[in-house]
């Protein structure tokens, strides 16, 4: 008997439609939430990228580490910026990433005229993986390179040294260059001037960015350079230098040398010819010249200091005067004798030589050494140690005589400024400095008595009032000074017959000098009073007078008209011997 089929299983109960709908809605909401979170994450990331500064991708997190790119500012004595850092962009290439090396080279040649397309195409196809193209480019050049669309041309962030005043004070600042560098950072190092001397200080993080404060006054420096450039042009000079120094502290308020250069684009040193022709040559510090009759006041002052004479002592100026068979000549015939003051006023070589012979070679050398004329200047410039004065190896009587009026010994205008400051500030030695002093310095060694210093100032004032520097008088400021004219030496030996170096060393106000000014012109020549003139009285003196006229108000000096004809006599009467 056949078995009966099992009854069918009961059907599962149907789920309520409301529950199905609710589950579907939960799934849709979850999926939508996931998409929303994803889109928000992507959007936030895109916003972050858009708000950040663009930078090149790097291969490692340590790129640029160890390169000190920070460098402190340099300011003048009033805090005005002379050198600072600004953000810059470098351009480099990774040729293996280039799509079209030839198009890249041609595009760069259009943007940078100094880049030859053929040369750079060869480099891009040489197999090199990395090539520096430009250490600094402008924003306009960066955009032009970007528009080339070449992925192998890349940009690197860095800082660059900027001199906002261009060539102003160029020989003091010197300049800087890049040291260690990569695509993310570059080290800035000094190559000349105070940038090099104070390189460690400027780049030391321990100083927390404190600026290097110089003794220069930016406004005075600008005025000095403008007047010096005009004077150099009017006097048809090849070069010029000027130094303005505080007579009591040795602080250099202005130091100028022309021709100059822009430290933002420092030229390369000359490899041939006369180094003195290069704009990099600092005539005020590196220029070693026979400074002519500006030295005569040192001889007169030493004679007074030793008690060998006083300002009114008569000195033999008669001709002939021969020393070791060498004749000593004067520019004019001054008669048989002159007072010590008039030897300086009229600039008599014979009178000065006879005073020097009475002093003697050993004492003369010791005095000039005490004024710093035997050693390099201690000023804070890299060029200074190499500018050692040229001193005779032997010192016979003829050398004693010629050195007394500034021939046979070569020194820089900076040496002369420091010597005049030491002699005229009351008689204490000062050391020149480019750093602003924060307090009164300790007085240096005494070189002459106060009385002799005052008598020397009186003599120099008379040179301006009735001597060879009459064009140097500036009403209200009582300038005193001494002229000097010397044949120009050739860089390979000997002297030029028709070329001179003219100098005017001065102090103002003469009765109580606050500042010393030295102006030197290289190969000046001017037509004046119907003749060709080359002497200092016609060339360096009027330039110095215009400098005083311009800068004295900037220095806070009030003009003093008619201070009293007997002011020097009154001072001399009351001045102590020491």
């Amino acid at each position: 008997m056949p078995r009966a089929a099992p009854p069918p299983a009961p059907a599962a109960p149907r789920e309520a439609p409301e529950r199905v709908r609710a589950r579907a809605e939960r799934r849709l909401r979850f999926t939508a939430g996931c998409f929303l979170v994803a889109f928000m994450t992507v959007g936030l990331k895109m916003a972050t990228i858009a708000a950040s500064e663009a930078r090149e991708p790097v291969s490692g997190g340590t790129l640029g580490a160890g390169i000190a790119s920070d460098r402190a500012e340099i300011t003048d004595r009033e805090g005005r910026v002379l050198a600072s850092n600004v953000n810059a962009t470098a351009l480099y290439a990774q040729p293996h990433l280039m799509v079209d090396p030839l198009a890249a080279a041609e595009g760069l040649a259009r943007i940078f005229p100094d880049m030859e397309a053929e040369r750079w195409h060869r480099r891009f196809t040489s197999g090199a993986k990395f090539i520096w193209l430009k250490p600094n480019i402008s924003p306009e050049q960066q955009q032009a390179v970007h528009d080339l669309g070449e992925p192998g041309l890349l940009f690197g962030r860095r800082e660059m040294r900027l001199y906002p005043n261009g060539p102003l004070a160029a020989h003091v600042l010197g300049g800087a260059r890049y040291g260690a560098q990569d695509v993310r950072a570059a080290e800035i190092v000094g190559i000349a001037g105070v940038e090099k001397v104070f390189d460690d200080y400027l780049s030391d993080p321990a100083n927390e960015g404190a600026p290097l404060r110089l003794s220069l006054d930016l406004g005075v420096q600008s005025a000095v350079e403008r007047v010096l450039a005009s004077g150099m042009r009017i006097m048809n000079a090849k070069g010029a230098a000027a130094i303005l120094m505080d007579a009591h502290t040795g602080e250099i308020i202005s130091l100028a040398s022309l021709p100059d250069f822009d430290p933002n684009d420092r030229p390369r040193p000359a490899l041939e010819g006369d180094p003195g022709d290069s704009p990099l040559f600092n005539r005020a510090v590196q220029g070693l010249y026979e400074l002519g009759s500006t030295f005569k006041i040192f001889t007169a002052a030493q004679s007074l200091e030793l008690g060998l004479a006083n300002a009114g002592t008569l000195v033999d100026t008669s001709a002939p005067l021969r020393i070791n068979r060498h004749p000593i000549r004067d520019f004019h015939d001054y008669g048989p004798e002159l007072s010590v003051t008039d030897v300086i006023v009229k600039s008599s070589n014979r009178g000065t030589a006879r005073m020097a012979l009475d002093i003697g070679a050993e004492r003369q050398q010791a005095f000039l050494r005490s004024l710093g004329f035997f050693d390099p200047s201690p000023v804070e410039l890299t060029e200074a140690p190499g500018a050692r004065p040229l001193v005779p190896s032997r010192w016979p009587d003829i050398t004693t005589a010629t050195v007394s009026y500034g021939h046979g010994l070569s020194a820089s205008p900076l040496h002369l400024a420091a010597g005049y400051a030491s002699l005229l500030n009351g008689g204490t030695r000062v050391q020149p400095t480019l750093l602003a002093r924060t307090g009164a310095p300790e007085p240096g060694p005494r070189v002459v008595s106060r009385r002799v210093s005052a008598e020397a100032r009186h003599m120099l004032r008379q040179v301006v009032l009735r001597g060879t520097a009459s064009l140097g008088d500036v009403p209200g400021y009582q300038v005193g000074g001494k002229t000097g004219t010397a044949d120009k030496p050739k860089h390979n030996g000997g002297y030029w017959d028709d070329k001179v170096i003219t100098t005017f060393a001065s102090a103002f106000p003469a009765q109580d000098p606050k500042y010393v000014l030295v102006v030197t012109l290289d190969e000046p020549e001017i037509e004046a009073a119907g003749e060709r003139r080359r002497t200092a009285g016609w060339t360096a003196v009027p330039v110095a007078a215009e400098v005083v006229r311009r800068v004295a108000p900037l220095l806070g000096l009030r003009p003093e008209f008619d201070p009293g004809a007997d002011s020097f006599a009154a001072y001399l009467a009351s001045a102590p011997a020491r």
Side-chain angles (χ1 to χ4, degrees):
M1 180 175 184
R3 295 180 61 185
R14 295 185 62 184
E15 189 174 6
E18 291 80 4
R19 296 182 61 187
V20 174
R21 186 180 304 108
R23 185 168 58 251
E25 289 176 355
R26 285 196 300 273
R27 291 174 179 174
L28 287 174
R29 282 196 295 268
F30 177 77
T31 304
C34 291
F35 276 104
L36 180 60
V37 171
F39 277 114
M40 288 179 64
T41 303
V42 172
L44 181 61
K45 184 63 175 178
M46 292 176 65
T48 302
I49 294 173
S52 64
E53 296 184 9
R55 61 180 61 183
E56 296 294 333
V58 297
S59 58
T62 61
L63 199 59
I67 297 179
S69 59
D70 292 337
R71 191 173 182 85
E73 291 183 338
I74 301 175
T75 70
D76 79 340
R77 64 189 305 111
E78 301 297 334
R80 291 168 290 200
V81 175
L82 300 174
S84 183
N85 282 10
V86 296
N87 291 330
T89 302
L91 175 63
Y92 63 96
Q94 292 186 342
H96 64 284
L97 300 179
M98 286 185 173
V99 175
D100 189 342
L102 178 59
E106 292 174 344
L108 291 174
R110 290 193 300 270
I111 299 169
F112 305 101
D114 60 327
M115 297 182 70
E116 298 178 4
E118 183 178 349
R119 173 173 176 266
W120 286 100
H121 179 241
R122 287 197 302 270
R123 293 202 62 184
F124 292 157
T125 56
S126 65
K129 299 295 184 182
F130 181 92
I131 301 173
W132 279 115
L133 299 177
K134 291 286 182 180
N136 293 308
I137 60 174
S138 69
E140 294 79 10
Q141 291 170 331
Q142 181 180 2
Q143 184 61 49
V145 173
H146 183 272
D147 291 343
L148 295 178
E150 175 55 67
L153 297 176
L154 305 169
F155 307 106
R157 290 290 306 280
R158 58 178 56 192
E159 290 188 338
M160 64 175 284
R161 200 63 164 168
L162 177 69
Y163 303 92
N165 304 294
L168 197 65
H171 290 91
V172 173
L173 298 171
R177 63 171 176 81
Y178 287 122
Q181 57 182 318
D182 61 28
V183 299
R184 293 287 300 279
E187 177 189 29
I188 300 174
V189 296
I191 56 175
V194 295
E195 285 276 24
K196 186 170 184 179
V197 170
F198 296 101
D199 192 49
D200 290 342
Y201 173 88
L202 291 167
S203 58
D204 188 352
N207 295 321
E208 299 180 344
L212 177 67
R213 182 167 166 258
L214 300 185
S215 59
L216 297 184
D217 184 295
L218 186 62
V220 173
Q221 178 75 21
S222 178
V224 169
E225 290 194 18
R226 286 199 304 268
V227 173
L228 193 64
S230 297
M232 176 178 159
R233 184 178 62 255
I234 293 170
M235 302 301 173
N236 302 298
K238 182 179 181 180
I243 299 161
L244 181 66
M245 178 186 294
D246 187 304
H248 297 276
T249 67
E251 291 172 287
I252 297 173
I253 310 301
S254 174
L255 188 151
S257 176
L258 298 176
D260 58 9
F261 61 95
D262 188 343
N264 291 300
D265 187 20
R266 184 180 169 91
R268 294 181 179 276
L271 300 178
E272 56 185 20
D274 186 351
D277 293 338
S278 169
L280 297 177
F281 186 75
N282 189 340
R283 296 170 184 270
V285 177
Q286 294 175 279
L288 299 177
Y289 311 114
E290 292 182 341
L291 295 166
S293 296
T294 59
F295 263 47
K296 288 175 180 173
I297 192 63
F298 299 133
T299 303
Q302 187 178 17
S303 183
L304 269 60
E305 181 72 12
L306 294 172
L308 301 176
N310 58 47
T313 300
L314 295 178
V315 179
D316 182 4
T317 56
S318 61
L321 174 59
R322 288 183 174 272
I323 302 174
N324 303 136
R325 296 179 296 179
H326 296 280
I328 305 298
R329 298 184 175 89
D330 273 336
F331 196 72
H332 297 291
D333 182 6
Y334 300 118
E337 57 186 15
L338 292 171
S339 68
V340 172
T341 296
D342 283 344
V343 165
I344 300 302
V345 171
K346 297 183 182 296
S347 201
S348 170
N349 292 340
R350 294 193 190 106
T352 309
R354 286 189 168 107
M355 284 192 288
L357 292 175
D358 289 342
I359 292 170
E362 288 188 9
R363 291 193 295 192
Q364 181 189 51
Q365 291 177 64
F367 186 63
L368 293 176
R369 184 177 284 107
S370 73
L371 292 171
F373 285 105
F374 278 55
D375 301 301
S377 171
V379 73
E380 303 90 348
L381 290 174
T382 52
E383 300 82 3
R388 176 179 290 276
L390 304 179
V391 179
S393 57
R394 297 176 57 254
W395 210 283
D397 284 349
I398 185 60
T399 299
T400 301
T402 59
V403 167
S404 74
Y405 53 83
H407 293 262
L409 186 153
S410 297
S412 71
L414 182 57
H415 282 93
L416 186 63
Y420 265 57
S422 300
L423 177 64
L424 304 176
N425 66 2
T428 57
R429 174 80 183 274
V430 297
Q431 299 282 10
T433 180
L434 281 163
L435 295 180
R437 296 191 185 276
T438 55
E442 290 293 324
R446 181 160 292 282
V447 293
V448 295
S449 68
R450 292 182 181 276
R451 183 178 184 87
V452 168
S453 178
E455 289 176 326
R457 298 198 297 268
H458 178 61
M459 293 180 192
L460 296 179
R461 177 60 178 155
Q462 294 303 306
V463 173
V464 174
L465 291 178
R466 58 187 181 89
T468 58
S470 58
L471 295 177
D473 195 27
V474 181
Y477 294 107
Q478 292 78 50
V479 177
K482 186 71 189 77
T483 55
T485 304
D487 292 334
K488 182 179 179 178
K490 300 178 180 178
H491 75 279
N492 54 358
Y495 293 87
W496 294 98
D497 295 331
D498 56 350
K499 299 178 182 179
V500 297
I501 301 290
T502 65
T503 303
F504 183 51
S506 60
F508 62 97
Q511 69 271 22
D512 183 19
K514 300 295 189 295
Y515 300 98
V516 164
L517 172 66
V518 173
V519 172
T520 298
L521 297 179
D522 186 355
E523 298 183 27
E525 189 172 20
I526 188 175
E527 183 78 26
E531 296 182 28
R532 300 298 293 178
R533 310 280 186 172
R534 293 187 297 159
T535 58
W538 288 96
T539 57
V541 170
V543 176
E546 185 61 24
V547 170
V548 174
R549 191 175 293 110
R550 297 281 188 92
V551 306
L554 299 176
L555 295 168
L557 296 179
R558 297 177 61 183
E560 184 177 336
F561 296 97
D562 190 23
D566 296 329
S567 58
F568 269 112
Y571 180 83
L572 291 174
S574 62
R578 288 283 174 183

